[in-house]
Structure formats: structure tokens, C-alpha cells
Amino acid sequence: MWLRTKFAAWLSIAIVVLLAAGLFWLRLPAVSWQSSLLDTLPQEADPAQQVYMAHQQPNEQRFMLLFTVANDDFAAFATALRQELAELTSSEAEIQPLQQLDAQAIVSIYAEYAGQWASPSDLTTLRENPQQLIQYAQQRLQQPLPLWVDIQQDPLLLSQRLVEALPEPLPNFAAEGPLYVRHSATHTSIVVALQSKADTLSQEHSRTVVAHTEQLLSALTATAIPHEVIRSGLVFHTDAAATQAKYEMTWFGGLSLAFVLILLWWVFRSLLHLLYSLVVVSVSTLVGVTAVMWCFNSPHVLTLVFATTLIGLCIDYVFHASIGASHGKNNWQQVVPALLLGAATTIVGFLLLTLLSLPLLQQLGVFMAAALVSVTGLVLLIPALGLTKPTTLRWQRLHQKVARSYQHVAPRTGSIILVVLAITCSIAAWQTYRSDDAVQLLATSSESLLAQEQEMREQTQAFYDSEVILIKATSMNELYQRYARVHRRLVDWQQQGWLTSWQSWFDYVPTPQQQQQVSDALAQLWQQPAGQDYLAWLGIQPPQANLSSRQQLPKAHPLYENFFYTSADAKQPVVGVIRLRGSTTNNDFTQAIAALNGVELFSPLTQASEALGHYRSQLMQWMMALVILLFIVLSWRLPYSRRQQRYLASLHVSAIIITALSSALAIAALWQPLNAFHFVGAMLVIVLGIDYGIFCASRIPRAHALQAISISALTTMFAFGALSFSQTAAIASFGVTVLIGVAITAVLVPLLTPANSTHSV
Amino acid sequence: MTPRVLLRVLIIGALLWSECTHANEQPLEPEVLAFLQQQQQPLPFAVDFEQQRTIQGLPRALLSSGTLTVAADKVVWHTKEPLDQRLVITATGIQPDGEAAMRGSAVIAQLLLAVLQGDAEAIDKNFSVQLAADCLTLTPKLEQLQQFVQAIESCGNSSIERIQLIEQQGNRSSITFHYEAHNGVAAH
């Protein structure tokens, strides 16, 4: 009885808050929040793929600008560009020219292996016509150009020739300081490759980087030197998406919030209701986050993003409870069992998510279950807190009319309508079902940016496909052998037309087999008269073969870390990568790669798409399990006197949910193929459907139940439905599913026969 | 502060700023400019050369000789002994006869052109300059070149008589020019 005092009620809320906050602060130091998309992947993801993805440095932003100027304007434009670049790099955005390979580091590693490494073409010449290499070396020695190899180790200057033959970072562009330049008959193309330490996923950082870059471009425009510019890089897309999202948030978010507040004020005319709704959402969020932190060592920030979307349904319990409490003690006693049954079913439903293999859904399940437990407790305090002000008379009369109009539908007719609709909509959804989990479909970049990106790729050939060949092994030595085996096949695959070109470690360093061949051929040459004459001309002895350094991996090579990845966890495999250009997703190619031990064709985009597909399929399984669970629980707990009535009412509630889900997904599929985000929206539809169904199938007077359901449905439809107009495909998918699903549920639930009806179900 | 004082302060400030800007640019000293002008020959011109190349690890210097033809836009480096070889040096790189420009040779080519053509502006832009007796010591400013070239010495009063390329690895090329054979003959 003591809880019925306002003080005791507020005190208990304060205790819950303090307890949750205490547990939150206690656990906070031990928790490391994850932000990488890698951590959202299914737990059974390939360890080698995880090692590769972990090294892709998503936070290191690289972006490029390509300028085209007339040849006559090149000198003046390059000077202006260099000046502006100097200013850009001194700004607070920490933008720097992308570091070109350190020539000193390159030279020192190739000098270390002087006389052991040669290019494949020099190896062929060495074996077939060594005199040609001798002549070249003699010519080279009389040229006025610096030499950096130890001539005693490498009399033929093979290492120096190898460095001069290394693939260029930007083919056909000459490096001139921070600029890469290519001249044609009339025009000069200038590429500026930049990098920033800004976080790729941070809208604020991206905005700063883009703003500084645009300043540079404006300054160049002000020089009045005619030029064209092309932008390329994730930062431009992130900024464009953020600007679009900001625009949408301002308009859609602002309008829907205004509508929700106006509606709540119109219905309750009470600031206390608004305040308490805010308290409930805040406390339940705190409890949810705390529960996630205690259940998971490394929760993901995306859990919070999804959870804060779903947490809105907690307000619905406030509507149900406060409207129930406003109609007196007897009515409140009818509301409590419905509240408890609705909350319990939804909580169990969310706990089912923890059985899935996806970490994000597991964390979401724990968050929502814990949040709903706290919400249930908080709404039971509503009578004690005095939140019993009834809704406005106009609102009450409107719902009495609606309730009466639905009473014209005979229970049997209603039953038939619900079952037939469920079957029909399920068939329609089955027939129209089409899914596409490709992450590219979720891209929101503008046509202009995408066109510039494409143009940059065509002009510079600086980009490789997202698809790579991954080679894995348990040790570096094993990996090195496997890598060399794959490298030898690349030319065959190119001739088959399966790829245009590639970037392999062994384009920069000879394979162990080639090193051996170089060593053998040189040893043979120094025994022959031609070799001996050359050494005599130089006045030196034949070089000693350095076997020990040949057996070591050249880990000091500046490019080593671009091709080989290891994990701090010794149990994880070591991974090597070969980047591809113009690769085809040809079955023969995939099979040829699969035939090699420890080798696979891997695309992060495909992996992300597969992960999204996995989420979609797991959510579908969860929804089916939840509908079955719902039927069982409601058949057991709905307050009908006869068992047959309970089964039938449970069937009807399930039918409404199935109809709402099927029709929402079928209609949404008309716009775009279904993806995981449609099913996240479907989660909201299903849990709201459970609540609406339970309240309409309870002993609560129908008009009272409909008042709360209307507020809930209207606020949800406006808040989430507005998202249907979003330019971001993922958000629009979510919004359209919720809008249609909740609308259909709200229209159909009044067809349920209340438990206190004198009519037979 | 009266407007007149303010104006004076502004003028002095502007003059100081101008001085500072010029000081940062560090233009070639008049003596260096005069030395370069003395060395400079009317373009185009041709000259015989002998190169003595000392390479670390070789017991003796490698000798070569030939003819150098210096024009406004290129230098033709024609070695006749011991191997006949022709290199065309332009701003875009060093090109062996009939072949494409050697990879990464553009920077060194531009510096050689600057030295052989006596281009004061290019020398000022690319080198720190030190004049001692009849030799000008040029130290590259470009970091990418400093890794390979320690200095270039250009000696001779009335013309370039000797160029010495000192490499970071300890190698050294000494090129001596002989103008007699081509005296008064402009190259074509």
C-alpha cells in the first residue's frame, strides 16, 4: 500500500535510477565499445578474412583530386596548387599529401639484396644472353647518373635495374613532389593524393576535411586559370550522406516530433504525461545499456543506434497505463494483466534474439528485454504517481464511435476476415518476395559524385577491385610458398580473361624460385669467359653468394605490410593478399582459385552483403519463432473463460501480425528488393502488434484500449513513417515497413473480440 | 596615434615585410651570378669531355670520353670510348638513343641541364650554392635528390672546365671539358 503514495513512487524510481547508474559506472571501465563493422559480422566468419579486414584501416582517409589544365597553363596552375596544398596541410584538419614511397627505404632494401634479386625479364636475359646485361652494365657505368648498389655484390647492377622497373603507383603519371603529372598533346592532368587522420565514419570530421578541401578548390578557381576538377574518396560520400541526413533530420524529424507533441498535448493536455514519458524512455535506456554492458565485454555502438530506435515503443506502455488508470480502479485492474502479458511476451520475444549467432542482434535482445522490464515496473507506478488525468472528451468520444462501428462486424465475420487476410497476404508476400542484400544498393551518393569516382578510376587506374585473392597459412614460410604458387598462375588467369591486371608482392620482390635461378645463372656466368672478362675489366673477384639473406623474408621492405597481415593472436592464420583489377566473377576462376590450398577469392563488399543477408534470414527465423511463441503464450494466458476461445483469439492476434508483416513487406518489395533493414522495421511491427492484440483481446473496454492504440499507432507512423521519404535506402526501407505494418495492425486489431464480450468468438 | 604616425608605421611595416620576404628567398649573390655568367657559353655549343668515374669497391677509376652538345632545350651526351653511347638529356628525363626516358631520371636531368646550361634561375631554385676560388659547389635542395647526390662542383673561370658529381654512396664522377676541338664552332 505504501507505494501508492507519490513520494514512495518517485523514491522507487530514484532507487532504480541510482542502482542502474551505479552498475553502469561500475562496469564502464571494463567495457570496450566496438565501432568496426567487422564486429557486426556473423561469429563464424573466416578468421583469415577477419585478419585481412582488421588491417584495412577504415579510419585512415585517403582521397584524391584530379585536375585537368591546358598545357600552357600548367606551370602557373601547378605553382598555385602547390601553394594551396601547403596551406591545406597546415590547417587543423590534419590533411597531408599521401606519402609516396620512401626512396631511401626502397633503395636500402634492394641494396641489401644486391646480386640476389633481378627482374623476371633480366632473369631470362641472364639465362639466355648474359652478354647483353654485361653491355648494359658497362654503359650504365659510363652514364653521369648516381649508382647506389654495391658493385662488388652486384656487378651487373641487377638490383638497380629492378628498382627502375618496379610498377608505378600511378601508371603513366610522373611523381613531382606532392603532385602526379601526366602530359598529353594539349592538356596536363594533375593528381593530388591526400590523406587525413579524420574518422571515416564521423560526419563532423568528414565535414571539416571536405570544407578545407573545398577552400583549396575555391582558391584555385579564384586564380582564374581554367581547369576542371574531379573528386574521389569516401570522405566526399560520407559528407554528402551526412548533409542529406541532416536535411532529412531537420525536416522529417522536426515535423514528426512537432506532430507527436501536438497529438500528445491534444489528447492528454498534461505536461506531466510528457515529462513521465521522457523519464520512462531515459530510465529504460539506462537500464538497457547497463544490461548490455554486463552481459557483453565488447558491445557494439550500432546496438545503441538500433536500440534507441526501438526504445520508442516503451512510451506505448505509458499511454496504455495512464489511459487505463484514468478510468478508475476497476479498469486499472483489467489493464495490469494485459500490460504484464504484453510486456512478458515481448520480453521473451527479444530474449529469443540472444539465441541467434549475430552479436548485434544478441545485444539488441538483451537491451530491449532489460529496458522493457524497467518500463513495466515504471508504468505500474502510474496510479501512485497520480498520472490519472483522463484524455480529452473529444478523443474519448472519437474512440467510442470507432469501437461501436467495429461492433457492427459480427465476430464470425471478423474471424473469417482475419484468417483469409492472413492467408492472402502471406501468399502475396511469398509471390512478390524478392531480396537483395547488396550493400551497394544502400549507397546514397549523388550521381555526380559517383560519376566523378568512375572518371577518376578510368583516368588514373589507381584503384583495384574490392575483390582480392586471400592466401592464408599457419606460418609465414608456408604462406610465402603458397603466395608464390598463386603468383605464378596470375598470367594464365589473365590470358583466360578472368582479370586484367593485379598487384602482387612478387611484382616487387622475386619469388624464392626466381632468387634461386638468379643465383644459379650468376654462378654459371662467372665461370664463363664473358663473365670473367667483365669482372677483369672491373678489376674485382666474383661475388660471394649470400645464402643466409636469401632465406630470410624481406620484412623491412616498405611494401611488406601492404601484402602480409598477421594478428596479435598467434592462433589466427597469417594472411597474404593479391589485389585484382578487372576481375570477373567467373565460376571457372572461382574454381581455379578454390583448387589451390589455403587460397580464396574474397570481396569485403560481398562479405558485407552476405552478412546483411544473414541478418535478414536470422530475423525472419526470429519472427517465425516469435509468432509461434505468441500463439502458445496467448493460448495459455489470454483472459477468455474457455480454452477454445483462447486458441481462436490467439489465432486472430497471430493472423493480424502475419497480415501486417506480409502486406508491409509485399508493398515495400514493390519499391526495392527486401533487405535486413526492412526486417528491422518488421521487428517493431511485430512487437507493437503483440501489444495491440493483447490489449484488444483483454477485458479492458474496447474504447479505452483503442485510445492508447491510436496514440501509439499515430505517433509511430509519423515518427517512423516520415523516414520512408529518406534518400538513404536503408532508412527508407525501415520507415516504409513500419508505416504500412503499424497502419494495418491498428486497422485490424479492433476486429478482435474482447475477452469480456458476451458474444461468442 | 595620429593618422600620419599610423601611415608611417604601415609604410615601415610594409618595407620590413618586403625585406623579410626577399630574405627568405635568398637570391644568388652577385659574385655567384657573375661567376655563372663568366662560365656561360652561347648556346648551342659542343665540347669534348673526359670522365673519370671512381666507384666504391673498384680498384681503379673507369675512364670514358666523348662529346657533349649543349642546346637551349637539351643536352646530348655522346660517349665514344670505351663504348659508343648517346644520351639525350631533356627536362622530362634522360633518354638513351632510341629508347624511352629512363625511369625516375627527370629530376637529375633537370639539374644537369641547369648546371650545363648555366641557368642561374634553375640553379637558385634547386641548389644551395657556395663559391670558393674558381669552383661553385651546388648542394641539392630536393630531398629526393639529396638521398643520392651529395653535391655537384662546377669549376672554371671563363667556361665550365670541370664538373664533379659527388654521390652519397662515396662514388665520384669527374668530367673534364676540352673546348679546343670545337673552338668557335656552334653545335647543330
Side-chain angles (χ1 to χ4, degrees), chain A residues 471-479 482 570-575:
Chain A
I471 304 139
K472 60 183 172 184
T474 50
S475 70
M476 271 314 295
N477 281 336
E478 187 186 24
L479 177 67
R482 279 185 184 171
K571 289 177 188 166
Q572 296 277 47
V574 284
V575 177

Side-chain angles (χ1 to χ4, degrees), chain A residues 670-683:
Chain A
L670 296 176
W671 272 286
Q672 61 167 319
L674 301 180
N675 58 56
F677 294 94
H678 286 106
F679 287 86
V680 174
M683 286 174 84

Side-chain angles (χ1 to χ4, degrees), chain A residues 123-268:
Chain A
L123 173 59
T124 308
T125 314
L126 185 61
R127 296 165 89 178
E128 293 172 359
N129 185 11
Q131 188 61 46
Q132 196 177 330
L133 286 178
I134 291 172
Q135 191 180 359
Y136 166 79
Q138 286 178 310
Q139 286 180 343
R140 191 77 168 77
L141 288 169
Q142 67 181 19
Q143 288 168 5
L145 288 170
L147 284 179
W148 47 261
V149 287
D150 178 353
I151 199 159
Q152 287 182 312
Q153 274 300 313
D154 188 7
L156 293 176
L157 313 176
L158 295 174
S159 283
Q160 188 142 353
R161 278 174 66 83
L162 175 57
V163 169
E164 287 164 8
L166 289 179
E168 295 178 77
L170 273 180
N172 305 320
F173 280 83
E176 290 187 13
L179 313 182
Y180 289 92
V181 180
R182 181 181 62 193
H183 299 281
S184 70
T186 54
H187 286 82
T188 301
S189 303
I190 308 165
V191 172
V192 179
L194 298 159
Q195 65 181 355
S196 155
K197 289 178 184 168
D199 187 343
T200 314
L201 300 176
S202 163
Q203 296 171 358
E204 191 187 342
H205 288 180
S206 298
R207 183 85 285 270
T208 313
V209 171
V210 172
H212 280 86
T213 310
E214 292 299 335
Q215 270 177 20
L216 173 140
L217 298 178
S218 303
L220 290 172
T221 306
T223 61
I225 303 171
H227 66 275
E228 287 175 13
V229 62
I230 288 172
R231 301 161 182 80
S232 162
L234 187 59
V235 67
F236 296 110
H237 298 270
T238 307
D239 179 60
T243 308
Q244 179 65 29
K246 207 171 178 179
Y247 173 81
E248 289 175 0
M249 288 284 283
T250 309
W251 285 101
F252 301 160
L255 285 175
S256 61
L257 181 67
F259 173 80
V260 169
L261 290 175
I262 290 167
L263 181 70
L264 290 180
W265 179 254
W266 189 63
V267 172
F268 289 109

Side-chain angles (χ1 to χ4, degrees), chain B residues 28-183:
Chain B
L28 289 178
E29 290 172 10
E31 302 81 42
V32 174
L33 280 173
F35 183 82
L36 281 172
Q37 275 175 356
Q38 281 173 21
Q39 278 194 333
Q40 201 168 6
Q41 301 287 311
L43 297 177
F45 70 92
V47 62
D48 288 342
F49 73 88
E50 278 178 6
Q51 179 180 243
Q52 185 175 354
R53 192 147 201 212
T54 312
I55 294 172
Q56 291 290 305
L58 295 190
R60 57 177 177 268
L62 299 177
L63 302 176
S64 58
S65 60
T67 308
L68 200 65
T69 308
V70 183
D73 57 343
K74 65 179 179 184
V75 169
V76 179
W77 184 288
H78 188 184
T79 311
K80 293 171 181 168
E81 295 290 337
L83 293 173
D84 190 71
Q85 183 185 13
R86 198 164 171 272
L87 295 176
V88 180
I89 303 170
T90 63
T92 56
I94 298 175
Q95 199 176 348
D97 220 6
E99 292 178 31
M102 293 162 75
R103 176 93 174 271
S105 62
V107 178
I108 186 84
Q110 285 160 17
L111 297 191
L112 284 174
L113 280 178
V115 174
L116 293 169
Q117 293 170 338
D119 184 341
E121 194 182 337
I123 287 174
D124 183 31
K125 186 180 160 193
N126 294 303
F127 297 100
S128 302
V129 183
Q130 209 172 6
L131 182 61
D134 61 345
C135 284
L136 201 59
T137 306
L138 309 167
T139 311
K141 287 179 184 171
L142 268 179
E143 197 183 339
Q144 61 191 108
L145 200 64
Q146 281 174 354
Q147 292 168 349
F148 304 104
V149 178
Q150 188 179 319
I152 300 175
E153 277 179 13
S154 172
C155 300
N157 276 324
S158 57
S159 59
I160 301 176
E161 292 164 7
R162 183 169 55 88
I163 285 180
Q164 190 153 222
L165 178 72
I166 306 160
E167 298 173 28
Q168 291 290 8
Q169 304 294 321
N171 302 333
R172 188 178 284 257
S173 300
S174 182
I175 305 147
T176 310
F177 298 101
H178 302 287
Y179 292 87
E180 296 81 11
H182 299 273
N183 216 0

Side-chain angles (χ1 to χ4, degrees), chain A residues 314-334:
Chain A
C314 293
I315 299 183
D316 295 356
Y317 287 88
V318 180
F319 301 153
H320 287 298
S322 54
I323 290 174
S326 70
H327 289 98
K329 196 175 165 186
N330 287 341
N331 194 64
W332 175 249
Q333 284 171 352
Q334 304 299 332

